[in-house]
Amino acid sequence: MTDATALFSEWEGRRLDEIFALCREQLEDPTYPIVKKWRAAGGKVLGHFQVYFPEEIAHACGMLPVKIRGGQADGVEASQHFGSYLCSILKTSLDLALCKHIELDLFVTHPICDGARNLAGIWGRNFPYKSQVLHLPQNPNSASAYAFLRDEYRRLAGDIEAAGGARLTDANLKASLEIYNRSRRLMRELYRIRRDRPWTLGADESMVLMAMAGILPREEFNRMLETVLAMIGSRAAREQDKIRVVFEGGFCEVPPYDLLQAISRSCFVVDDDVFIGLRWILEDVSTEGDPLANLAAAYMDKSSYSPVQHDNSKPREKMLLKRVREAKAEAVILAAAKMCEPGLDEQVAYSKALDHEGIPYFVSEFEENQTTFDDISIQMETFLENVMFA
């Protein structure tokens, strides 16, 4: 993509700290200006709710896949459609659409919880375009799960084509897989830096970079991230001795930037599950043979974990312990979005596993519209001091 057609070229020629600031502006802007530019040029937009979505399919059909992630909103419009007992991201996502801050041609959600399952019906009654549920396998250990998911992906492709996308072909999908494979490699490098040289890249900085993958055409995101990784590699940063921690709990609603920044002042967050859906597949997806089948198999066999996937081959407690060990972390922050049933439920199992292994952990809640962090900063500092001098 050339500078003349780029949707986000402001970062070109800027210092690293300026790039992070520009990405933060995009993350926190509830009006989705990049998506508006795409639509103004005649492009079609597919919005997908948390956690994982096979963006390659929409990309291969010429649509812009956009991760619907909520944002700063008062929730007045959405309050007519939802009760007060639901998590923030459900309400703010709908609110931003009702206020026309983001306009779509197709909306896809997933049955990750009762609220997300019902979101499709509520969304569909309020907008002229189609709203649907993508059913990822509830039992990925079943032998029929692979064929089921491939069929779901084919059904999804049909809806994308009906919403104005180009016809899905094997050639186009394989080309998209190559682009996303490149993106996955760059993301793995980003997190390798977080683990190996955490003093050069904070969790807050990493989050704003990852957020751009959810709103930019992936080719443009790859070009930006490739440039930024080189800049991080030459960043002048003094090595520091801080406690290494893993942040767990950002799989759906993501923590506020200021919260991760406050945590990063006290310790090194060497791994996390923030925006995990954008890097769900951990390896390259094969471009040989049937690309839809390969993409479906990668979801099952080459993927990460979260509280909303139930896979007997990936017990979540063991996967968390693996993440801790591979990151050489000394402690864990077990966070959950307020009113998030899957996240809060999983904290119990995670706590037991960490207790059994003697790994210290800090339990907390957050909300995307949260604005004060003094209390949690003090609590975190006390926790880390206890870990340090235990």
Side-chain angles (χ1 to χ4, degrees):
M1 184 171 292
T2 65
D3 290 344
T5 59
L7 298 179
F8 179 62
S9 59
E10 292 86 345
W11 66 272
E12 298 274 10
R14 300 295 191 99
R15 301 192 312 269
L16 191 57
D17 59 336
E18 292 175 328
I19 295 175
F20 290 139
L22 288 168
C23 291
R24 180 184 179 180
E25 288 177 8
Q26 293 294 330
L27 169 65
E28 296 180 344
D29 191 332
T31 66
Y32 288 85
I34 287 175
V35 180
K36 283 184 169 61
K37 285 184 181 180
W38 174 271
R39 288 189 66 85
K44 299 290 186 178
V45 180
L46 181 152
H48 59 89
F49 195 66
Q50 312 288 346
V51 172
Y52 169 74
F53 179 82
E55 288 193 346
E56 293 93 331
I57 299 174
H59 182 276
C61 293
M63 273 194 170
L64 177 66
V66 175
K67 177 171 277 294
I68 304 299
R69 58 177 191 272
Q72 298 293 322
D74 55 24
V76 172
E77 294 291 332
S79 65
Q80 304 172 45
H81 307 276
F82 282 124
S84 59
Y85 50 86
L86 295 173
C87 64
S88 176
I89 189 174
L90 282 168
K91 293 180 283 188
T92 59
S93 294
L94 180 62
D95 196 89
L96 294 176
L98 289 170
C99 294
K100 299 189 181 302
H101 290 318
I102 183 167
E103 297 185 66
L104 308 174
D105 298 283
L106 179 65
F107 175 71
V108 183
T109 186
H110 313 276
I112 59 173
C113 65
D114 289 342
R117 181 186 299 109
N118 294 326
L119 185 59
I122 296 172
W123 205 290
R125 287 196 298 271
N126 287 276
F127 301 99
Y129 50 83
K130 186 170 184 178
S131 174
Q132 65 143 287
V133 177
L134 175 64
H135 294 277
L136 300 171
Q138 290 298 304
N139 181 14
N141 306 114
S142 167
S144 60
Y146 296 87
F148 166 83
L149 185 54
R150 189 205 178 280
D151 289 345
E152 269 293 282
Y153 284 175
R154 182 59 258 181
R155 180 181 68 83
L156 170 68
D159 283 333
I160 292 173
E161 292 165 357
R167 186 175 68 87
L168 181 69
T169 65
D170 283 358
N172 287 345
L173 184 53
K174 288 179 180 181
S176 293
L177 287 175
E178 291 284 7
I179 291 168
Y180 275 76
N181 282 342
R182 175 60 181 157
S183 191
R184 282 183 270 272
R185 290 191 289 271
L186 293 170
M187 290 176 182
R188 290 197 295 270
E189 175 63 14
L190 185 74
Y191 271 76
R192 186 195 65 77
I193 293 171
R194 291 268 305 278
R195 291 190 300 272
D196 294 351
R197 292 183 288 116
W199 53 89
T200 64
L201 182 66
D204 49 330
E205 297 169 332
S206 171
M207 180 181 77
V208 297
L209 289 175
M210 286 299 307
M212 299 303 293
I215 52 177
L216 277 176
R218 195 51 67 100
E219 302 94 326
E220 191 174 338
F221 170 77
N222 288 352
R223 189 167 66 87
M224 182 188 75
L225 185 54
E226 190 167 30
T227 302
V228 169
L229 285 172
M231 297 173 73
I232 294 171
S234 59
R235 192 179 199 180
R238 182 171 57 86
E239 184 173 349
Q240 301 176 51
D241 184 18
K242 292 183 180 179
I243 290 179
R244 300 167 61 94
V245 306
V246 162
F247 182 96
E248 190 81 10
F251 65 95
C252 182
E253 183 174 325
V254 298
Y257 174 91
D258 288 329
L259 174 59
L260 285 181
Q261 187 178 62
I263 293 172
S264 296
R265 292 192 188 103
S266 303
C267 59
F268 288 137
V269 182
V270 290
D271 205 348
D272 59 53
D273 62 346
V274 175
F275 288 123
I276 192 66
L278 292 171
R279 50 193 177 93
W280 180 259
I281 296 176
L282 303 174
E283 303 174 25
D284 285 2
V285 179
S286 174
T287 55
E288 301 295 325
D290 182 351
L292 266 185
N294 295 343
L295 190 57
Y299 172 82
M300 242 83 71
D301 301 332
K302 300 179 178 180
S303 57
S304 187
Y305 68 98
S306 84
V308 297
Q309 188 199 43
H310 309 285
D311 187 340
N312 293 332
S313 66
K314 296 186 294 183
R316 292 178 292 279
E317 307 93 300
K318 292 184 178 179
M319 295 299 288
L320 172 59
L321 293 175
K322 180 182 178 183
R323 174 173 282 166
V324 171
R325 294 188 185 107
E326 289 182 350
K328 299 178 181 178
E330 302 161 84
V332 177
I333 300 173
L334 291 180
K338 291 182 179 179
M339 300 291 183
C340 175
E341 290 186 10
L344 291 168
D345 286 347
E346 208 59 39
Q347 282 187 342
V348 178
Y350 286 157
S351 298
K352 289 182 178 179
L354 294 170
D355 282 335
H356 184 267
E357 296 296 321
I359 299 172
Y361 57 91
F362 176 80
V363 179
S364 182
E365 287 184 335
F366 65 85
E367 192 171 27
E368 59 182 353
N369 288 324
Q370 188 176 344
T371 56
T372 59
F373 307 96
D374 292 342
D375 288 346
I376 193 171
S377 295
I378 294 171
Q379 294 167 9
M380 271 295 304
E381 289 175 5
T382 302
F383 165 72
L384 293 170
E385 286 177 2
N386 288 336
V387 173
M388 187 179 301
F389 299 111

